[in-house]
Amino acid sequence: MMTSLGPNRHLIGRAPDLVARELATPALVIDLDAFQANLAKMADLVGSAGGKVRPHAKAHKSSLIGRRQIEAGAVGLCCATVREAEVLAEAGLPGLLVTTPVVTPSMVARLVAAAEKADDFMVVVDSLTGVETLAEHARVSRPVGVLVDIDMGLGRDGLVDPAEAVALARRIDELPQLAYRGVQAYYGHLQHVKTLADRHAKIAEQWENLARFLETLGAAGLAPEIISGGGTGTHHLDLAHGPFTEIQPGSYLFMDKQYGEVEIAPGGSPFATSLTVAARVVSIAQPDRVIIDAGSKAVSTDYGPALLAKGAPDGATYQFMGDEHGAIRMPEGANRPPLGAIIELVAPHCDPTANLHDRFHVIQGGRLVDIWPIEARGY
């Protein structure tokens, strides 16, 4: 898939001072050293625990990053949307799992077409309609793998009755176009519980809930091969004590303001912030602030204001000032950044921030070393 590298392509490999002077902003920036350390750390944690990881591509929506995750040992990638699955399948990435039920016939047909291009393709279902629609489009010669979706207290999708899970799994198992593989049990609402002790208590309740499903499925001769769930915020507990055969972290690659407030593991987070939004000071007309060219179209708004990473004095704060602008409010007596200065922001939430941009700008030692398209963003 050919994708434009954008207005900063001429800066790849150029001197850091030129990059700082000419970088078109706002620009989504990856610190390559921190990114690679996060990638390696998760692979090491999973390997040491004897587990598997199927990272969530919704965090980055990039086939280049997805390939790096698989090369680091991931068994595949999770996809939150049909669009993500199509793009990653087109890139030839294996082990794709679509983690959201899809029931519209035209969208199911798109998933089956994607499954033709990617080995070990799977989807989740939580309804008989979803199963039958999938079976209408899939081929016996290339069955689509299916996980039964179980609600883990989120109340969004997934079955709440073990008997319903058995009925659904049995129907999947009857259809030669489909292959029953196991269950998905994801608790996204527990990823940001602030303290490790509170998080452990809450997810332990959901492990008990999941145990009812696993026992009932096992008694029916439908014991799952795959139990997929967990995430960045619960990875430590999932790997040490959880019932999963694989975990689904996403944000660990980048980290953000939300995860910065969470006690992820004993001794602190094993992951560092690698993702920022670079913006420029475009106005100093107001005496108590400077204005930058990054507003709600450059940084997610779902968890309050962004944090300031670089370029602003201690004690300064960010304030949204509209679609295209933000204010950096200065503490009394602080020196204001000059016009044209770059200020880097830590996103409130990395996933929707990545979805606002067309590409990642990969920086190492102040030098722009690459630009990675975000091909799966959007519809």
Side-chain angles (χ1 to χ4, degrees):
M1 179 178 292
M2 297 298 293
T3 306
S4 169
L5 297 185
N8 291 313
R9 61 191 180 279
H10 68 290
L11 296 174
I12 296 176
R14 305 298 294 276
D17 60 338
L18 183 65
V19 174
R21 187 167 64 249
E22 293 194 7
L23 187 73
T25 54
L28 193 60
V29 171
I30 288 178
D31 179 315
L32 183 58
D33 291 335
F35 171 89
Q36 291 183 150
N38 290 344
L39 182 63
K41 185 62 177 178
M42 181 60 81
D44 180 63
L45 289 170
V46 172
S48 297
K52 297 178 182 179
V53 61
R54 196 183 304 267
H56 230 303
K58 67 179 181 178
H60 55 74
K61 294 177 175 281
S62 164
S63 64
L64 291 176
I65 292 180
R67 189 172 301 281
R68 281 164 172 77
Q69 290 175 309
I70 290 174
E71 289 172 349
V75 295
L77 299 165
C78 291
C79 303
T81 68
V82 174
R83 169 69 173 166
E84 290 172 14
E86 287 176 323
V87 169
L88 299 183
E90 184 69 29
L93 300 184
L96 303 182
L97 167 62
V98 180
T99 60
T100 303
V102 179
V103 297
T104 307
S106 62
M107 294 177 71
V108 170
R110 288 167 57 191
L111 282 183
V112 172
E116 297 286 330
K117 303 174 183 178
D119 292 336
D120 195 26
F121 192 97
M122 298 184 293
V123 302
V124 305
V125 297
D126 70 355
S127 69
L128 185 58
T129 296
V131 171
E132 300 296 349
T133 305
L134 187 61
E136 288 175 7
H137 291 84
R139 293 190 298 120
V140 173
S141 59
R142 193 174 175 87
V144 175
V146 184
L147 301 186
V148 174
D149 198 12
I150 295 171
D151 176 44
M152 294 287 278
L154 181 57
R156 185 172 62 190
D157 51 75
L159 299 175
V160 297
D161 182 351
E164 291 182 356
V166 168
L168 213 57
R170 184 169 286 127
R171 179 56 179 154
I172 296 164
D173 204 39
E174 292 171 348
L175 294 164
Q177 314 89 307
L178 307 181
Y180 169 65
R181 301 291 302 279
V183 300
Q184 174 179 264
Y186 178 65
Y187 33 57
H189 62 306
L190 300 181
Q191 298 302 314
H192 296 98
V193 176
K194 292 290 192 291
T195 70
L196 194 61
D198 286 347
R199 198 176 324 118
H200 195 174
K202 291 180 183 297
I203 65 175
E205 293 177 4
Q206 297 306 322
W207 293 342
E208 292 181 6
N209 174 47
L210 176 57
R212 295 187 303 118
F213 283 85
L214 299 180
E215 291 168 4
T216 305
L217 286 165
L222 295 163
E225 166 199 350
I226 294 172
I227 306 169
S228 189
T232 297
T234 60
H235 82 277
H236 168 73
L237 299 167
D238 297 329
L239 291 172
H241 312 292
F244 305 109
T245 63
E246 62 180 45
I247 61 170
Q248 301 182 359
S251 300
Y252 74 96
L253 280 179
F254 298 146
M255 305 307 284
D256 53 27
K257 176 184 173 182
Q258 275 187 305
Y259 275 116
E261 298 177 357
V262 172
E263 182 190 9
I264 291 183
S269 175
F271 311 112
T273 300
S274 68
L275 186 75
T276 57
V277 175
R280 285 197 187 275
V281 176
V282 296
S283 176
I284 57 173
Q286 301 295 324
D288 62 342
R289 72 198 77 169
V290 300
I291 303 301
I292 61 174
D293 59 356
S296 60
K297 289 183 178 178
V299 184
S300 69
T301 62
D302 59 334
Y303 196 71
L307 299 179
L308 298 173
K310 297 178 183 177
D314 291 343
T317 57
Y318 175 84
Q319 176 188 353
F320 284 107
M321 294 292 284
D323 292 352
E324 315 295 349
H325 299 94
I328 309 300
R329 291 191 171 272
M330 298 293 144
E332 186 174 351
N335 292 325
R336 295 193 297 166
L339 279 173
I342 286 184
I343 293 177
E344 292 188 37
L345 310 173
V346 175
H349 187 180
C350 57
D351 299 20
T353 296
N355 192 56
L356 294 170
H357 295 259
D358 290 322
R359 53 195 69 87
F360 297 105
H361 296 79
V362 185
I363 300 287
Q364 188 174 39
R367 192 181 298 271
L368 180 64
V369 297
D370 210 348
I371 296 175
W372 297 342
I374 306 174
E375 318 102 301
R377 65 177 294 262
Y379 69 90

